[in-house]
Amino acid sequence: MAGVLRALLPRRCPGCEAQLGREAGLCLACRAALRPRVETHSPLSSRPAPHLVTLGAYGGRTRRAVRALKFGGARDLAGALGGALAGGVPAGWQVGAVVPVPLHPGRERQRGFNQSELLGQALGAALGVPCVPALRRTRATAQQARLHAGQRGANLAGAFAVDARRLPPGPVLLLDDVLTTGSTLLACRDALHAAGVGPVYFAVVAR
């Protein structure tokens, strides 16, 4: 029924503006262009080693898709993007759970959802592991994109708490939509490590 309704409603693909037809989120051409890769160099690791799965640079169709999910409420995109990310997660990481980066409750109420949690649910389902919102923000923080690099770490210091009891033992995959300086993901990783959780790997739609 959902596919029939999608076919009847004229909708454009957020990635390329083509008609979506029965497809959910992205058209077949844009889905085929989502190619996950494992990164060995990023601000998230002090040494070159496989630690990050991404769909590529924050530009073009990937940027448009992220913005449509985050600001346009196009929740169908989470399935396409999260499912594509799952295809790049190495089996050797032995990930036991996906942990989404949390929004502050006030911001989540304003937006109506946490895009990272939607992505995490799709990613976890594709991997066959739970998406566990074990992290929470303990205070509101300024938007990272509006701060200078030197201010971002201080902005996030002590901003996250972990309920480690909710997580299975072993490695977890920490997920956010976009990686810029890495300050948010590193603050979340540090909170997880302080709670005895690890190893921690990372996944982002774009960087």
Side-chain angles (χ1 to χ4, degrees):
M1 178 61 72
V4 173
L5 291 175
R6 284 194 292 264
L8 292 175
L9 295 173
R11 299 170 305 124
R12 294 192 177 276
C13 172
C16 67
E17 293 294 308
Q19 287 295 325
L20 275 175
R22 291 177 176 265
E23 295 303 313
L26 290 171
C27 69
L28 290 175
C30 284
R31 285 174 181 263
L34 298 177
R35 296 174 183 168
R37 63 192 190 210
V38 176
E39 304 276 359
T40 57
H41 295 80
S42 87
L44 303 173
S45 179
S46 60
R47 58 186 180 85
H51 64 280
L52 169 67
V53 177
T54 177
L55 298 180
Y58 185 57
R61 62 166 54 86
T62 307
R63 178 180 182 274
R64 291 190 291 271
V66 168
R67 290 185 65 81
L69 168 62
K70 193 170 182 176
F71 303 117
R75 301 189 192 194
D76 280 356
L77 283 163
L81 298 172
L85 274 173
V89 178
W93 287 2
Q94 297 182 316
V95 169
V98 176
V99 179
V101 169
L103 289 177
H104 186 269
R107 189 170 294 171
E108 186 169 346
R109 282 193 299 271
Q110 183 181 42
R111 184 169 295 168
F113 61 92
N114 175 4
Q115 71 279 356
S116 294
E117 187 166 349
L118 293 181
L119 289 164
Q121 290 167 355
L123 175 53
L127 292 176
V129 302
C131 172
V132 184
L135 282 162
R136 62 180 176 85
R137 289 194 185 242
T138 58
R139 58 180 174 82
T141 56
Q143 290 189 14
Q144 289 289 94
R146 297 181 179 178
L147 300 176
H148 297 299
Q151 298 173 307
R152 291 177 175 177
N155 180 49
L156 293 169
F160 299 99
V162 181
D163 185 354
R165 297 168 300 176
R166 303 183 64 183
L167 290 166
V172 300
L173 188 63
L174 181 60
L175 172 71
D176 205 359
D177 53 355
V178 177
L179 166 66
T180 49
T181 66
S183 298
T184 300
L185 284 162
L186 288 173
C188 289
R189 180 206 63 186
D190 291 347
L192 287 165
H193 281 169
V197 178
V200 177
Y201 296 101
F202 303 92
V204 297
V205 174
R207 58 170 301 197

